[in-house]
Amino acid sequence: VKITSSTTPARKLAHVAQAGLRPLVSLNNTLSAVPKFIYPTVTGTADQQAMIWETLDKLPMHHAVRPNSIGVVPSIDGTPNILGRNLSPLGRVTLSESGHGMSNPDVFKNTVNHEVGHSVDHPSGFFSIFTKSRPSDSEPFGAGPNVSDYAGTNPREDFAESYELHRHDPQALRDVNAAKADELQQLDKPTYLQRLVDRPAFRETGKWIGKQFQAYPQLRTGLEIVRQTGIFSLALAGSAKVTEGVIDKDSRDVALGLLQTGAGVGLALAPSVPWLGVAATAALGGSVGVKAAQDAQADAGRTVASMIGAGVGGVLGGFVTPLVATQLGYTLAGPAGGALALLAGGMLGGTLGAKLGAKFALGKSPEGARPQE
Ligand SMILES: [Zn+2]
């Protein structure tokens, strides 16, 4: 008889539920790890949507995908003085139809840029408060000369106002404040990983996915909360495991917990520091490897080997495979094909890659190596 923990019906049920959730958790992790290419969900009249898309298309891709949704509402707080608002932690941008001048396409598009500017300054994610300081936290932002009176109200608005002018008329910003222009020019440059997804397959797939939520923009916000909660619970479960390991003096549990916590933190910060996404998938895979070694009652040396094997497998499966799959799916069947491939790759890749990596490193199936009684 195998020694397993699923001895009571309640535990069995919990195991089944966990197994069913695993692909979704895996997808959640992949979507958090890879450089973002899913475009915001855009809502409004046909004209308004066209103006928003026209504005997004002129932005560097890594800026265009920063908000999760951009929607037009009749008014904000019942006053025409507020043209737009950005709920930064959720990446939700609203534009006011009745805001002063918003019927003028230039004002409308400038407002889109202003709000995206807030998202560039503050990537969505409750954890982003822990990342390196926001651009607006330090000079030249928050100090004159300013592009407008409104920019003088606080450093956040200074950044957004400067960003708006940088998009509309870069030379005009440079004439007012060259240091701010330099800083914004620097932020326009994508990182290596961001450049990797800046190709038609990902742009078009990302736009297609964003559009699927048009009828339910709230669902998009809801999924964003789910995504962040998932990452948070991963970090939390990891730290619980560390505590457990310390109390039981079990170094493997401590390692497992540290890897999970590290993965959670890495995924949380990946929107601002893209390479942390790769590191997080490696840590996630590594934790699968430690678990497999635990099940196989492997010694310390083989546990480390299993951790490394599964870590490599985790990166290949949870990061590389979904991206390659998206490109392939798009080539074969357009944006819908890309989205479907991303879904499949994200659900299966990470866990499968890590398990194979662990199996390879341990030399035999972790399942077969389970202790018997
Ligand atoms: Zn603002």
Side-chain angles (χ1 to χ4, degrees):
V1 176
K2 272 187 194 172
I3 301 172
T4 61
S5 49
S6 51
T7 44
T8 67
R11 286 212 158 177
K12 265 182 193 154
L13 198 70
H15 273 260
V16 171
Q18 236 174 19
L21 274 177
R22 206 164 290 139
L24 296 178
V25 172
S26 174
L27 177 67
N28 200 41
N29 293 338
T30 288
L31 289 181
S32 309
V34 299
K36 192 172 174 188
F37 59 87
I38 299 177
Y39 271 71
T41 295
V42 172
T43 53
T45 65
D47 282 351
Q48 290 161 347
Q49 285 186 38
M51 284 192 285
I52 294 170
W53 279 114
E54 203 189 312
T55 313
L56 290 179
D57 281 339
K58 284 185 185 147
L59 294 174
M61 184 185 166
H62 64 291
H63 288 186
V65 297
R66 275 288 175 92
N68 290 311
S69 65
I70 302 179
V72 185
V73 293
S75 81
I76 296 176
D77 292 354
T79 166
N81 294 324
I82 303 175
L83 306 192
R85 174 168 286 164
N86 188 331
L87 197 58
S88 296
L90 294 173
R92 200 173 80 192
V93 169
T94 37
L95 304 165
S96 168
E97 206 165 41
S98 57
H100 284 306
M102 285 293 272
S103 51
N104 177 330
D106 278 337
V107 174
F108 187 94
K109 289 177 193 169
N110 284 340
T111 306
V112 173
N113 280 328
H114 176 103
E115 298 307 334
V116 172
H118 281 304
S119 291
V120 171
D121 183 32
H122 186 213
S124 71
F126 300 124
F127 294 91
S128 46
I129 47 169
F130 299 117
T131 11
K132 56 176 185 181
S133 55
R134 297 157 64 168
S136 67
D137 281 337
S138 52
E139 289 199 12
F141 300 102
N146 295 326
V147 297
S148 67
D149 287 342
Y150 187 47
T153 53
N154 66 62
R156 308 288 188 237
E157 293 310 330
D158 182 20
F159 183 90
E161 287 283 278
S162 305
Y163 185 90
E164 178 186 325
L165 188 58
H166 171 63
R167 298 265 76 105
H168 181 69
D169 186 353
Q171 190 54 47
L173 171 62
R174 191 159 289 281
D175 292 343
V176 174
N177 193 321
K180 288 176 187 175
D182 285 343
E183 193 83 5
L184 289 171
Q185 220 165 23
Q186 208 58 35
L187 289 171
D188 280 349
K189 290 182 189 153
T191 64
Y192 174 75
L193 287 172
Q194 286 166 338
R195 241 193 333 259
L196 204 67
V197 295
D198 192 356
R199 53 185 73 218
F202 296 102
R203 272 190 187 253
E204 296 311 315
T205 299
K207 285 179 182 176
W208 188 88
I209 295 174
K211 280 180 184 161
Q212 300 317 302
F213 290 95
Q214 253 175 355
Y216 325 93
Q218 301 87 341
L219 180 63
R220 179 80 193 263
T221 308
L223 284 177
E224 176 59 17
I225 295 173
V226 169
R227 186 186 73 79
Q228 295 186 28
T229 311
I231 293 169
F232 183 66
S233 58
L234 176 68
L236 208 65
S239 41
K241 199 85 184 163
V242 173
T243 315
E244 210 179 288
V246 168
I247 291 170
D248 296 345
K249 294 201 174 65
D250 184 335
S251 55
R252 288 201 186 94
D253 270 353
V254 173
L256 195 63
L258 285 176
L259 286 167
Q260 285 176 347
T261 308
V265 173
L267 291 177
L269 303 185
S272 330
V273 192
W275 66 265
L276 279 178
V278 184
T281 49
L284 271 174
S287 72
V288 172
V290 171
K291 223 176 196 162
Q294 244 174 1
D295 287 347
Q297 292 195 324
D299 58 19
R302 288 176 73 223
T303 302
V304 171
S306 175
M307 182 180 82
I308 294 170
V312 173
V315 173
L316 288 176
F319 195 93
V320 179
T321 304
L323 291 181
V324 173
T326 305
Q327 173 73 57
L328 209 69
Y330 176 81
T331 310
L332 291 173
L340 204 68
L342 172 68
L343 209 67
M347 281 183 163
L348 302 173
T351 323
L352 211 64
K355 278 192 172 160
L356 286 175
K359 201 169 165 179
F360 177 76
L362 284 170
K364 54 183 167 180
S365 151
E367 194 68 36
R370 277 232 175 115
Q372 310 276 317
E373 72 169 18

